[in-house]
Amino acid sequence: MSAWTADDWPIAAAALPFSGTLPDGRSVTEAGPDEWAVTLAEIADAGFDALDVTDSWLRLADLDAAGRADFLAVARETGVRPLSLSAIRRSVVDPRDGDANLAYSHRVLEAAASVGIGTVSFGLHRPLTAEQSAQLWFWTVDGPKDDPADWDLAVTRLRELGRHAEELGVLMSLEMYEDTFLGTASSAVRLIEKIGLSGVGLNPDIGNLIRLHRPVESWLELCEQTLPYANFWHVKNYTRDEDIARDFYTAAPSPMVAGVIDYRRAMRIALANGFQGVICVENYGGDGLSVCAENRDYLRRHVLPRRTSTQLGTSRVRQLGEARPQTGPER
């Protein structure tokens, strides 16, 4: 597998800045092709040719075959390829909706494969609480926490999804998020190793952790521990201020170039560990799409390798474009 460079690395716009509900109360999913075309044209006009189908905007898994064909037709017409799908706040160990979320996650994999999406990201974070939703920045209030008693259930269900993904030829990635089994570097790595499938890796969305208004692991330590297992990457950044003596911590969204995470250094770590996955640019607040476009340009101009001779290390998990091993055990 030849390494990508800044010119051809697949960078997808997150659909995160777009609401999944229209002013008249209908969901974007049920609104149909005309509504989807408006958003995809806006994404294309921002200079993107690739999309992460974030299911907070459109639930591809809830479309029938005709609906998915319509979605692909709109994507082709606007020139935006669906490269990845991020299913968020559908934890398979949710104490109330875990069973339903597991069934939904299987449908997500099937829907992704049916439209040629090669990477699907799942997480263990749950829907925002009413108190979180009332804040300017929801992460300033603690949300639900995973119960340690559910660890084995998480491993079993995520392994089940990973095997389904293998059958479909789709890479599966697990998004890091606070207070879940993917909420620290050590726990996230342990979970991946316990699942034990080469096609299941990490989505090291360390921005989710750096933004917390409490003590957190350093971004560098998070990168060093998790990037060897990365096969997809949500990237975003935050300013952060700490006054440990006064127990004061604050953070706010920032363009990638200006935040506390040094993505130039992070990418060097990623490349040294064989990362060759789709990068999905995200941002919360303001003109999110424009910030995502700035983040894309920053990556191509300053962060991603410009030469094909860049030394690429070996990942602990399979990367996009690598063939599935034909014989032998997984990991």
Side-chain angles (χ1 to χ4, degrees), residues 12-330:
L16 193 64
F18 300 95
S19 174
T21 304
L22 300 176
D24 63 9
R26 290 179 302 150
S27 72
V28 168
T29 304
E30 66 181 341
D34 289 345
E35 181 60 39
W36 309 337
V38 172
T39 297
L40 293 185
E42 194 170 347
I43 289 170
D45 289 346
F48 285 98
D49 62 3
L51 170 72
D52 177 80
V53 189
T54 321
D55 72 349
S56 58
W57 171 63
L58 185 144
R59 299 186 304 277
L60 200 64
D62 290 346
L63 296 177
D64 59 17
R68 294 194 297 272
D70 287 341
F71 174 74
L72 271 183
V74 170
R76 291 191 189 100
E77 183 177 343
T78 55
V80 178
R81 296 176 298 148
L83 285 188
S84 58
L85 191 158
S86 294
I88 60 176
R89 304 197 183 280
R90 295 282 195 142
S91 171
V92 296
V93 293
D94 186 301
R96 186 187 67 181
D97 297 321
D99 291 346
N101 289 344
L102 178 61
Y104 171 79
S105 298
H106 279 292
R107 297 201 311 274
V108 164
L109 291 170
E110 292 166 356
S114 74
V115 299
I117 288 174
T119 303
V120 172
S121 175
F122 295 113
L124 293 174
H125 39 309
R126 300 183 220 161
L128 298 175
T129 64
E131 187 178 5
Q132 286 180 305
S133 297
Q135 311 303 311
L136 174 60
W137 306 122
F138 62 82
W139 54 83
T140 61
V141 172
D142 287 350
K145 298 175 171 58
D146 279 350
D147 184 342
D150 290 331
W151 173 268
D152 288 342
L153 180 63
V155 171
T156 298
R157 289 187 165 181
L158 292 172
R159 186 184 291 138
E160 175 185 324
L161 289 173
R163 286 174 174 155
H164 191 186
E166 291 278 4
E167 294 169 1
L168 295 167
V170 172
L171 283 184
M172 182 169 132
S173 198
L174 299 180
E175 179 182 354
M176 296 185 71
Y177 197 93
E178 77 268 13
D179 299 325
T180 72
F181 297 135
L182 294 155
T184 66
S186 60
S187 181
V189 167
R190 179 174 168 239
L191 184 61
I192 293 298
E193 292 184 335
K194 192 69 174 178
I195 291 168
L197 300 174
S198 64
V200 178
L202 282 178
N203 169 4
D205 190 344
I206 62 175
N208 288 342
L209 308 178
I210 293 300
R211 70 191 178 192
L212 300 177
H213 287 202
R214 52 169 132 148
V216 297
E217 297 175 87
S218 81
W219 69 265
L220 183 56
E221 290 174 357
L222 286 165
C223 286
E224 289 174 339
Q225 292 185 59
T226 63
L227 285 170
Y229 298 85
N231 60 2
F232 177 59
W233 201 353
H234 285 173
V235 294
K236 54 182 178 282
N237 218 341
Y238 294 83
T239 60
R240 181 173 176 85
D241 192 21
E242 299 183 358
D243 187 335
I244 297 174
R246 297 179 181 178
D247 194 29
F248 173 83
Y249 308 88
T250 186
S254 164
M256 286 177 66
V257 68
V260 70
I261 303 167
D262 178 355
Y263 275 98
R264 184 192 294 265
R265 189 170 181 185
M267 182 54 67
R268 286 201 296 265
I269 297 170
L271 292 170
N273 287 282
F275 175 67
Q276 291 285 279
V278 174
I279 298 174
C280 171
V281 287
E282 295 187 323
N283 185 73
Y284 281 97
D287 182 354
L289 179 60
S290 291
V291 177
C292 287
E294 289 184 5
N295 289 343
R296 175 203 63 218
D297 294 345
Y298 161 71
L299 288 170
R300 294 209 190 278
R301 290 173 183 166
H302 303 294
V303 173
L304 294 170
R306 304 213 60 84
R307 299 169 181 83
T308 56
S309 59
T310 298
Q311 187 67 33
L312 188 66
T314 302
S315 177
R316 303 285 186 89
V317 296
R318 196 160 68 253
Q319 297 296 309
L320 194 65
E322 287 184 337
R324 182 179 186 275
Q326 296 300 305
T327 60
E330 285 288 350

